[in-house]
């Protein structure tokens, strides 16, 4: 711990005594060239890149940009790659070349990304291959000029990042080194509050680079915070559950920061594997979790929990994972209790693109750790709750300017989050979004987020909102839904509604064939759904108005194998051959990656999902496999 404390103090003094530009963050992060910056594997070999090797790449790339593209000065340049060592090298080299990186979100709809590229006047993108964006592509392999040792770079000091598109607005947020330095310097406070976060395995802190680096959570909590202290990032070769778990154990990962979807997928996988062994095993595990929870409440080390539940933890993350954070949206307390009960320290955090990461629950006692609180604000910000319950964040780490639908807005370090919060004993809890709250018959504010978290149904997207002054649930269904799929949905909805108390129970229920998300959204916007219902873009039906598509047929041998793979992935014993993998079976995007991996491994093909909805059914997949064989 002394060495960790020394490193934290030294890095803090270095950054505080600088001008706190992005160049200063880079120079402070790259002071130990022998340290391992990143690791990845191809299934057999492990590839490592040191900070020294990365710095040499960055200098070569930046110098090549200056030499080969002399007109490229003080412009925004897009980063056209996914999470990788190359992403890091491109990020710093763009800045060192005197230009500003635009962190392209490759999961955004292309329509939205292209609007932002045009808005920022991005003429060049740097990457390893053409990803379909407009603008001239600069290939990394062509940035091969040898950089003279005495060459002096003229660094830029700004980056652009896009926000979540649920506001239906084109929104670009700008940061300089000053705001990002303020966020990084919160680390001393975090370390002093909870030294578990600084746990090292054989001298190394290894963080799984699960979160996209072009997202504010990935940018700050994964990339900038951890490379600032010369830690190691572990990159994934794909996002199937098997590869994720193998990577965590192979590279001895110590830290995992992810969104609730990841942790809920882990929870589902744990119980799926337990239930395969029968009700007796389920009861044994439940009893063991009660024991481990009590032991941790009474001060026993979390290692005790891992030993008692070794069969599960060995097949899950293994023994090295020490500190985990979830953030980005609501997480259930049951999920927090399960992961912590297994001996993996998991807490909730909070942040937004406009304000960065501003708090995390740093509690040590078990009962405080498993609460859904986002903790207390970091030193770089202050939280203020307005009369209507809205959270306002103020501080030096708030973004300095924003571009909303082309209108430039300079901030004064204050941002209204639109989140409704409550504060108990100094800890803050997210209640819901300001525009989404519904006033029940008893006068109480009802959060649709809480209701959605309690509904677990067999469809990909659903929302709960205030429609015509009634609490309303809307479920998106595939046009290809089978009768069995609809029966499952009806059963799931009935069971879910029965578990809700009367004030939280939706007063009406509709289904739709239309996508609840616009092409420019990355999650469902209730405000957007309501406006599109009003315009007729989304058409609602009563559940009894649903029709069925004529069922397809496929090669029996291939179909049976596909059904087996879908069953293993979804955890459902019986699957209708025409059931939609996501809409009918309730699987998510991580399950999607796992299924694709299993199909390609089993059949030796390169199968990809596309917009053909039949490709999400066992029959449709079997027909596609037959074509590719």
């Amino acid at each position: 711990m002394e060495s960790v404390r020394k490193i934290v103090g030294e890095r803090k003094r270095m950054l505080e005594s600088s001008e706190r530009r992005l160049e200063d963050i880079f120079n402070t992060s790259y002071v130990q060239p022998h340290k391992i910056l990143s690791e990845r594997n191809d299934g057999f070999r492990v590839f490592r890149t040191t900070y020294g090797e990365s710095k040499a790449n960055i200098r070569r790339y930046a110098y090549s940009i200056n030499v080969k593209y002399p007109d490229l000065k003080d412009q925004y340049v897009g980063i056209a790659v996914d999470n990788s060592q190359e992403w890091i090298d491109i990020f710093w080299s763009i800045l060192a070349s005197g230009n500003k990186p635009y962190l392209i979100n490759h999961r955004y709809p292309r329509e939205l990304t292209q609007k932002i590229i045009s808005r920022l006047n991005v003429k060049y993108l740097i990457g390893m291959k053409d990803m379909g964006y407009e603008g001239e592509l600069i290939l990394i392999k062509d940035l091969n000029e040898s950089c003279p040792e005495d060459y002096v770079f003229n660094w830029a000091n700004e980056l652009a990042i896009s926000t979540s598109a649920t506001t239906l607005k084109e929104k670009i947020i700008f940061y300089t080194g000053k705001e990002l330095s303020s966020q990084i310097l919160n680390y001393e406070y975090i370390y002093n509050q909870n030294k578990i976060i600084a746990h090292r395995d054989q001298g190394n802190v290894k963080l799984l680079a699960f979160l996209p680096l072009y997202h504010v959570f990935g940018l700050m909590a994964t990339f900038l915070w951890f490379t600032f202290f010369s830690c190691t990032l572990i990159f994934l070769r794909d996002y199937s559950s098997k590869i994720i778990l193998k990577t965590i154990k192979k590279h001895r990962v110590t830290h995992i920061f992810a969104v609730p979807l990841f942790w809920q997928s882990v929870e589902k996988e744990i119980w799926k594997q337990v239930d395969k062994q029968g009700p007796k095993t389920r009861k044994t595990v439940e009893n063991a979790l009660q024991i481990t929870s009590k032991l941790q409440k009474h001060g026993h080390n979390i290692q005790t929990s891992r030993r008692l539940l070794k069969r599960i933890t060995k097949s899950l993350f293994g023994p090295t994972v020490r500190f985990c954070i979830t953030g980005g949206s609501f997480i259930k307390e049951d999920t927090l209790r399960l992961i912590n009960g297994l001996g993996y320290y998991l807490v909730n955090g909070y942040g937004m693109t406009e304000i960065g990461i501003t708090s995390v629950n740093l509690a040590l006692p078990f009962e405080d750790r498993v609460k859904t609180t986002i903790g207390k604000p970091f030193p770089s910000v202050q939280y203020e709750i307005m009369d209507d319950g809205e959270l306002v964040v103020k501080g030096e780490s708030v973004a300095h300017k924003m571009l909303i639908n082309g209108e430039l807005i300079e901030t004064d370090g204050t941002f209204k989050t639109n989140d409704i919060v409550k504060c108990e004993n100094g800890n803050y809890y997210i209640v819901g979004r300001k525009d989404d709250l519904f006033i029940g018959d008893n006068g109480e504010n009802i959060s649709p987020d809480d209701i959605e978290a309690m509904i677990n149904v067999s469809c990909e997207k659903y929302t709960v909102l205030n429609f015509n002054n009634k609490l309303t649930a809307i479920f998106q269904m595939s046009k290809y839904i089978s009768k069995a799929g609809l029966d499952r949905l009806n059963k799931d909805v009935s069971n879910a509604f029965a578990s809700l108390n009367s004030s939280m129970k939706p007063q009406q229920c509709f289904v739709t064939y239309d996508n609840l998300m616009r092409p420019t959204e990355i999650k469902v916007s209730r405000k957007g759904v309501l406006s599109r219902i009003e315009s007729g873009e989304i058409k609602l039906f009563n559940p009894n108005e649903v029709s069925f598509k004529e069922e397809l047929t496929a090669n029996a041998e291939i179909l049976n194998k596909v059904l087996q793979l879908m069953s293993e992935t979804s955890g459902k014993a019986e699957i209708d051959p025409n059931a939609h993998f996501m809409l009918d079976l309730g699987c998510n995007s991580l399950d999607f990656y796992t299924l694709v991996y299993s199909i390609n491994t089993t059949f030796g093909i390169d199968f990809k999902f596309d917009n053909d909805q039949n490709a999400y059914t066992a029959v449709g997949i079997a027909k596609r496999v037959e074509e590719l064989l």
Side-chain angles (χ1 to χ4, degrees):
M1 284 299 179
E2 287 300 325
S3 61
V4 174
R5 186 180 294 112
K6 182 179 178 182
I7 291 172
V8 170
E10 287 177 349
R11 301 294 169 90
K12 178 192 175 189
R13 287 190 291 273
M14 287 179 67
L15 189 57
E16 284 183 332
S17 63
S18 72
E19 295 181 16
R20 302 192 189 186
R21 294 171 57 84
L22 285 164
E23 179 183 5
D24 299 313
I25 296 174
F26 171 80
N27 289 332
T28 309
S29 302
Y30 279 73
V31 295
Q32 291 181 291
H34 64 283
K35 288 281 191 178
I36 304 298
L37 171 53
S38 71
E39 294 180 1
R40 64 179 179 85
N41 74 82
D42 61 2
F44 303 98
R45 298 166 296 173
V46 173
F47 302 91
R48 296 179 175 87
T49 301
T50 66
Y51 280 81
E53 290 167 337
S54 174
K55 187 173 183 177
N57 290 338
I58 292 163
R59 286 181 58 83
R60 184 172 71 255
Y61 297 160
Y63 179 74
S64 298
I65 292 171
N66 288 163
V67 171
K68 293 187 173 184
Y69 302 88
D71 62 320
L72 190 50
K73 295 289 183 183
D74 197 32
Q75 295 181 31
Y76 269 101
V77 179
I79 303 179
V81 293
D82 280 312
N83 275 22
S84 60
Q85 177 62 51
E86 288 78 10
W87 191 100
I88 293 174
D89 293 345
I90 293 170
F91 174 84
W92 289 122
S93 64
I94 291 172
L95 287 162
S97 72
N99 293 285
K100 299 168 289 189
Y102 162 46
L103 315 188
I104 297 177
N105 188 330
H106 307 296
R107 298 181 189 179
Y108 272 6
R110 194 166 301 278
E111 176 186 344
L112 175 63
T113 298
Q114 201 55 60
K115 283 183 179 179
I116 296 173
I117 286 175
S118 299
R119 184 74 67 186
L120 291 172
N121 195 27
V122 174
K123 297 176 182 177
Y124 295 93
L125 304 99
I126 302 179
M128 294 183 284
K129 61 180 181 180
D130 187 358
M131 300 186 75
Y133 302 116
E134 292 181 14
E136 183 176 340
L137 176 64
I138 300 174
L139 292 173
I140 297 176
K141 67 180 181 66
D142 294 334
L143 298 175
N144 52 14
E145 298 289 331
S146 180
C147 179
E149 289 186 11
D150 60 350
Y151 188 79
V152 178
F153 293 101
N154 182 23
W155 282 66
N157 189 41
E158 187 175 87
L159 63 86
I161 185 170
S162 308
T163 69
S164 166
T166 55
T167 58
L168 308 185
K169 295 179 180 178
E170 175 196 315
K171 206 168 184 182
I172 310 167
I173 310 302
F174 301 90
Y175 280 104
T176 67
K178 179 182 176 182
E179 297 90 46
L180 296 178
S181 293
S182 295
Q183 293 190 45
I184 290 171
L185 290 170
N186 286 322
Y187 199 96
E188 183 183 41
Y189 163 82
I190 297 169
Y191 170 74
N192 289 333
Q193 294 293 313
N194 188 325
K195 292 181 174 57
I196 296 176
I197 196 171
H199 172 84
R200 292 169 175 265
D201 177 67
Q202 298 180 352
N204 295 315
V205 168
K206 295 185 175 183
L207 177 68
L208 184 71
F210 175 84
L211 296 164
L213 302 183
Y214 45 72
H215 187 279
V216 71
F217 197 178
L219 175 69
M220 279 306 311
T222 300
F223 173 38
L224 292 178
W225 264 353
F226 278 81
T227 58
F228 187 76
F229 297 102
S230 302
C231 300
T232 303
L233 303 183
I234 308 300
F235 289 111
L236 292 156
R237 71 177 187 271
D238 74 43
Y239 284 78
S240 66
S241 60
K242 291 180 180 178
I243 295 301
I244 290 173
L245 296 182
K246 283 183 179 179
T247 301
I248 290 170
K249 285 179 278 194
K250 186 179 186 70
H251 292 266
R252 299 183 66 81
V253 167
T254 60
H255 293 61
I256 304 174
F257 295 175
V259 292
L261 171 65
F262 174 89
W263 300 109
Q264 288 157 12
S265 296
V266 169
E267 178 186 28
K268 183 174 73 172
E269 181 65 21
I270 289 169
W271 289 123
K272 182 175 76 174
Q273 296 302 325
V274 168
D275 288 339
K276 281 183 180 179
Q277 301 173 53
K280 185 176 180 180
T281 301
R282 171 89 182 209
K283 188 64 177 176
T284 300
V285 171
E286 289 174 343
N287 290 338
L289 284 167
Q290 289 181 359
I291 293 171
T292 59
S293 299
K294 288 180 180 178
L295 287 172
Q296 290 188 55
K297 287 178 191 176
H298 290 89
H300 285 265
N301 193 293
I302 58 177
Q303 302 300 322
T304 306
S305 298
R306 296 193 195 186
R307 287 193 292 270
L308 286 174
L309 289 159
K310 187 176 181 180
R311 182 180 298 180
I312 295 177
T313 58
K314 184 178 180 180
S315 63
L316 192 59
F317 300 147
T320 61
V321 173
R322 290 293 183 273
F323 195 93
C324 307
I325 296 178
T326 180
S329 59
F330 181 83
I331 188 167
K332 297 182 294 183
E333 187 173 313
D334 286 348
T335 307
L336 290 170
R337 284 189 174 277
L338 173 61
I339 305 301
N340 278 281
L342 290 171
Y344 297 114
Y345 187 104
L346 173 65
V347 288
N348 195 21
Y350 178 73
M352 298 177 70
T353 311
E354 297 89 346
I355 59 177
I357 311 303
T358 57
S359 65
V360 67
N361 179 14
L362 297 171
L364 292 171
F366 180 84
E367 281 303 321
D368 293 331
R369 198 190 319 151
V370 299
K371 292 177 180 177
T372 58
T373 174
I374 59 173
K376 300 176 175 65
F378 292 154
S380 67
V381 293
Q382 302 85 48
Y383 285 175
E384 181 180 347
I385 301 177
M386 308 303 287
D387 292 341
D388 60 359
E390 182 180 9
L391 175 66
V392 174
V393 178
K394 303 178 180 179
E396 55 189 14
S397 60
V398 174
H400 68 287
K401 65 180 179 181
M402 309 174 191
L403 196 61
I404 303 176
N405 283 351
E407 180 185 356
L408 183 64
I409 300 174
E410 303 280 353
T411 73
D412 60 354
T414 301
F415 183 74
K416 294 182 178 180
T417 66
N418 202 40
D419 282 327
I420 302 298
V421 303
K422 63 180 181 180
C423 183
E424 295 179 359
N425 300 319
N427 289 304
Y428 290 78
Y429 294 79
I430 303 296
V431 176
R433 296 288 287 171
K434 184 176 178 181
D435 295 339
D436 294 339
L437 291 183
F438 180 84
I439 301 176
D441 294 336
N442 58 1
E444 292 285 330
N445 285 335
I446 298 171
S447 169
D449 285 339
D450 291 340
I451 301 174
E452 288 180 5
M454 299 172 71
I455 295 177
N456 184 21
V457 299
S458 301
C459 69
E460 182 184 12
K461 300 185 190 76
Y462 56 90
T463 188
V464 176
L465 41 71
N466 180 357
F467 178 54
N468 291 338
N469 292 320
K470 289 186 178 181
L471 194 60
T472 304
I474 302 175
F475 300 92
Q476 179 186 324
M477 293 194 321
S478 168
K479 295 178 182 178
Y480 305 90
I481 193 168
S482 64
K483 186 176 186 307
L486 183 62
D487 289 342
R488 276 193 298 272
L489 177 60
N490 286 331
K491 182 179 178 181
D492 288 348
V493 170
S494 297
N495 291 338
F497 285 9
S499 67
L500 299 171
N501 65 46
S502 58
S503 64
M504 299 179 73
K505 193 171 297 184
Q507 299 162 293
Q508 55 186 354
C509 175
F510 296 102
V511 297
T512 183
Y513 296 131
D514 301 309
N515 201 321
L516 292 176
M517 287 167 48
R518 290 177 182 265
T520 55
E521 295 175 353
I522 59 172
K523 54 186 177 181
V524 176
S525 162
R526 297 186 181 98
K527 185 176 180 181
V529 169
L530 289 171
S531 69
R532 291 163 64 212
I533 291 173
E534 184 177 349
S535 69
E537 189 178 341
I538 291 179
K539 298 178 178 61
L540 303 180
F541 302 90
N542 289 316
N544 58 8
E545 297 177 320
V546 176
S547 58
F548 309 104
K549 189 178 185 296
E550 183 180 349
E551 297 185 345
L552 303 173
T553 58
N555 177 282
E557 183 178 352
I558 296 175
L559 176 59
N560 287 335
K561 190 61 182 177
V562 171
L563 284 168
Q564 179 185 337
L565 296 175
M566 291 183 77
S567 178
E568 291 172 356
T569 304
S570 66
K572 299 183 183 298
E574 296 183 7
I575 295 178
D576 186 314
N578 288 278
H580 191 285
F581 179 66
M582 301 181 85
L583 300 181
D584 293 342
L585 302 185
C587 294
N588 58 40
S589 57
L590 291 179
D591 299 322
F592 154 82
Y593 283 111
T594 299
L595 179 61
V596 171
Y597 175 81
S598 298
I599 289 170
N600 289 337
T601 302
T602 300
F603 294 102
I605 59 175
D606 185 19
F607 174 84
K608 293 182 175 67
F609 283 105
D610 55 27
N611 291 326
D612 178 3
Q613 293 297 315
N614 283 326
Y616 289 82
T617 69
V619 173
I621 293 171
K623 290 177 72 67
R624 186 69 60 82
V625 169
E626 188 175 3
E627 294 170 1
L628 294 172
L629 285 174

